[in-house]
Amino acid sequence: MDSSKQSGVREGIKDVLTNSSNPGTSSQNVNLSSSSTSGYVSGQDEDVGRGCGKDYVPDSIFSSDNPFFSSENAAAISTVEDLNSAVERCKIRVFESPECSEERKWLVRNLIELQIILQEKKEVEKTNTDPTNSSYGKMRIVLGHHFILQKQINAKHYCERCSGVIWGMVHSWYQCRDCSYCCHLKCVSNVCRICAHVKASEDPVYIETICPEVGLSVQSYRCAECKTLITFVPKGLSCFGRPFTSEGCIEPRRCDYDGKYYCHSCHWNALSIIPARVIHNWDFEERKVCQSSKQFLILMAKRPVLKLQELNPLLFNFVGELSDVKKIREDILLMKKYFVSCKDAIENRMLWKLQERLHFTENIDTYSLQDLIDLNSGALLKYLQDIQTIFVKHIKEDCLSCYGKGYICEFCKEKTVIFPFDTCAISCQKCHSVYHKFCWTNKNQQCPKCERVLKRNHGNMENLSIEDG
């Protein structure tokens, strides 16, 4: 890319859709001289096109031979020879980069993308098919986004780079297949937000502090994403006795999830439930978040990454439904031992009835944000109770093989078969034998099977000592 094209990208697109309805900008911002597609005054011209990417993506990644940060280079690399050359250059840069650095992570990611494109290019040439029909033939890769050119004519979206309306009949536009980021064709080169799918895949962890605000001064009075200058409008009268006006000022908007401040183009006042408030306060009220946080929270909603027992163990004392769900999950893990050795259960895919929440069959302490939302609404508890009823019916009534693995209490010798997941039963922690809770308490929690095993082992040791003597 020559210097004139680079300066053109840095200056941005001047034509702002001032007549379109806009979710992020207001009329007070349109008359400002801008160097970005949002119509806002940018703090540093060299950051346009990278924006927040400079905070996360090293400057060395934005080089002339990197096809994923230059639309011209991406279009130029179209043959197998060019792709092979790009792969070799990328490999050299991977070995030259510091170990475990952000630069190496992005270079490895780009190397994988290049190799996938190269493999698909070879298959296209081998089969003599139209390259435009391949998935990567229509794709633009920018900051982890996999942009696909859309053909929807009647769809109405908003560009998340310039906040302008995307009219499908008039505009060509892209949408990321991973995070659903939408932007105009002319704005794709100026995208400055890392794909939320990249963050959710590489670091699937929520911010556990409630709105960790550090102040606008720490951000140098710039938007945390696009680096646009933002400031609060002073209230009251100036030293000349005149009221302060909002002309020339861009009001910052705070994201309740990460505590940072954003401009109107990066923060559309979208509402979302905040995980930290749920964990610490059991608060499910939706609050305003920026677009990047909104996309991240959507992608993370069903991922079981919350360990409530470690994050806030007192929550189980105050929320009765949590204790009920925990008990059912413990019972499900006990029933799983019956299903994995039962032919009928395997054929009927009993455990697959929890396919929406398979983490419930793995452990009892991890939850997803959607689990907690459904628990608060009452849907989760009812769902698990229905599943538990089906599982118990299979073990106790439908399957003789599972029923034959039940237990008879050795203390009272009652003929009723009991199971470890019964409310009246308790299991020995050592040998996992099952007894009635009442009987277990009356016998001072002394397991007869463990006593027999201990006595047998002691007798064997005595016999060995006699033989040795």
Side-chain angles (χ1 to χ4, degrees):
M1 183 188 301
D2 56 20
S3 59
S4 62
K5 290 181 179 179
Q6 288 181 343
S7 61
V9 172
R10 290 171 180 170
E11 289 178 359
I13 301 172
K14 298 294 185 179
D15 52 335
V16 183
L17 296 173
T18 57
N19 296 327
S20 301
S21 58
N22 194 318
T25 58
S26 58
S27 59
Q28 66 184 14
N29 302 317
V30 176
N31 296 326
L32 300 176
S33 60
S34 65
S35 61
S36 69
T37 58
S38 64
Y40 293 159
V41 178
S42 176
Q44 295 177 348
D45 285 345
E46 61 269 18
D47 285 343
V48 176
R50 304 181 194 180
C52 72
K54 190 175 181 181
D55 293 340
Y56 303 97
V57 185
D59 288 338
S60 57
I61 299 297
F62 295 87
S63 62
S64 58
D65 63 342
N66 195 327
F68 300 127
F69 295 94
S70 171
S71 58
E72 287 80 2
N73 289 335
I77 300 178
S78 57
T79 63
V80 174
E81 292 75 12
D82 294 336
L83 285 169
N84 280 320
S85 177
V87 167
E88 294 302 322
R89 291 198 305 270
C90 192
K91 287 181 179 179
I92 294 174
R93 295 186 61 191
V94 168
F95 288 113
E96 292 177 349
S97 61
E99 293 185 4
C100 302
S101 62
E102 289 297 321
E103 179 182 5
R104 174 164 289 193
K105 289 181 181 179
W106 279 97
L107 286 172
V108 170
R109 185 181 296 115
N110 293 348
L111 178 60
I112 293 172
E113 298 284 0
L114 280 170
Q115 290 176 335
I116 293 175
I117 296 174
L118 176 61
Q119 183 63 31
E120 185 162 331
K121 187 71 176 178
K122 290 180 179 179
E123 293 178 359
V124 168
E125 291 187 353
K126 185 182 297 183
T127 56
N128 294 324
T129 57
D130 187 1
T132 58
N133 293 330
S134 63
S135 58
Y136 275 83
K138 304 177 181 179
M139 188 179 296
R140 292 281 299 277
I141 305 173
V142 181
L143 290 175
H145 295 280
H146 292 80
F147 285 117
I148 304 295
L149 187 63
Q150 301 297 310
K151 297 181 180 180
Q152 302 179 32
I153 298 177
N154 299 325
K156 180 182 178 182
H157 298 273
Y158 291 97
C159 177
E160 299 198 42
R161 183 63 188 99
C162 71
S163 298
V165 177
I166 299 176
W167 297 100
M169 184 70 71
V170 180
H171 298 139
S172 297
W173 60 289
Y174 282 99
Q175 185 175 36
C176 178
R177 71 178 185 184
D178 299 323
C179 68
S180 301
Y181 183 105
C182 301
C183 67
H184 292 108
L185 175 64
K186 63 180 182 180
C187 298
V188 69
S189 299
N190 293 328
V191 171
C192 62
R193 182 188 308 162
I194 294 178
C195 182
H197 185 266
V198 173
K199 299 179 183 179
S201 300
E202 296 189 353
D203 189 22
V205 178
Y206 288 118
I207 297 176
E208 299 174 3
T209 306
I210 297 177
C211 192
E213 181 183 0
V214 294
L216 191 56
S217 59
V218 177
Q219 297 179 206
S220 302
Y221 296 93
R222 302 183 188 277
C223 172
E225 181 171 308
C226 67
K227 306 307 176 186
T228 298
L229 286 171
I230 52 178
T231 184
F232 290 103
V233 178
K235 299 184 181 299
L237 301 177
S238 65
C239 58
F240 298 102
R242 297 178 181 177
F244 290 102
T245 62
S246 60
E247 183 178 356
C249 297
I250 300 171
E251 280 283 346
R253 293 177 177 177
R254 187 185 68 182
C255 174
D256 197 81
Y257 173 68
D258 61 14
K260 296 179 181 179
Y261 289 90
Y262 298 83
C263 66
H264 297 177
S265 277
C266 303
H267 193 314
W268 294 359
N269 286 332
L271 298 176
S272 180
I273 295 174
I274 309 302
R277 295 186 181 274
V278 174
I279 295 170
H280 298 292
N281 299 335
W282 202 243
D283 181 6
F284 291 88
E285 180 182 351
E286 291 186 332
R287 287 174 169 81
K288 296 178 181 179
V289 295
C290 65
Q291 288 302 104
S292 60
S293 296
K294 178 72 173 180
Q295 293 172 349
F296 177 78
L297 291 174
I298 290 175
L299 292 175
M300 288 286 293
K302 294 186 178 181
R303 298 196 179 192
V305 297
L306 296 174
K307 295 185 177 181
L308 290 186
Q309 195 65 43
E310 298 178 6
L311 297 172
N312 189 5
L314 296 178
L315 200 59
F316 290 87
N317 298 331
F318 293 95
V319 183
E321 293 82 357
L322 264 178
S323 300
D324 296 338
V325 168
K326 182 180 179 181
K327 178 61 172 64
I328 295 177
R329 292 184 64 174
E330 291 174 350
D331 293 343
I332 288 176
L333 288 182
L334 293 173
M335 297 179 196
K336 177 183 176 182
K337 297 178 181 179
Y338 290 82
F339 295 150
V340 295
S341 59
C342 175
K343 181 179 179 181
D344 293 338
I346 295 174
E347 291 179 353
N348 296 330
R349 302 166 65 95
M350 294 296 296
L351 291 176
W352 198 247
K353 296 183 184 298
L354 283 166
Q355 58 180 330
E356 297 179 1
R357 294 179 169 90
L358 286 178
H359 54 282
F360 284 2
T361 64
E362 301 296 333
N363 52 65
I364 62 171
D365 58 347
T366 58
Y367 295 83
S368 67
L369 182 60
Q370 190 62 47
D371 291 338
L372 302 182
I373 294 173
D374 294 341
L375 177 61
N376 184 61
S377 66
L380 178 62
L381 186 57
K382 184 179 183 305
Y383 168 79
L384 288 179
Q385 288 173 344
D386 294 340
I387 296 294
Q388 184 186 32
T389 302
I390 296 174
F391 286 180
V392 171
K393 184 176 181 297
H394 172 85
I395 294 175
K396 290 187 174 183
E397 300 178 13
D398 299 340
C399 181
L400 292 177
S401 175
C402 293
Y403 184 76
K405 297 175 183 178
Y407 293 82
I408 299 293
C409 179
E410 289 191 41
F411 293 120
C412 63
K413 306 298 182 181
E414 187 177 335
K415 294 183 178 180
T416 304
V417 179
I418 57 177
F419 295 86
F421 50 83
D422 288 337
T423 56
C424 64
I426 189 171
S427 298
C428 175
Q429 296 297 324
K430 293 182 178 179
C431 66
H432 304 292
S433 297
V434 182
Y435 310 95
H436 290 115
K437 287 183 179 179
F438 180 77
C439 301
W440 176 262
T441 304
N442 289 341
K443 296 298 182 178
N444 297 323
Q445 302 180 1
Q446 297 295 325
C447 177
K449 182 177 179 180
C450 291
E451 291 180 353
R452 291 195 301 270
V453 172
L454 182 63
K455 185 177 180 180
R456 186 186 308 118
N457 293 338
H458 183 69
N460 293 335
M461 292 296 296
E462 289 182 351
N463 295 332
L464 289 175
S465 61
I466 293 174
E467 292 177 359
D468 294 339

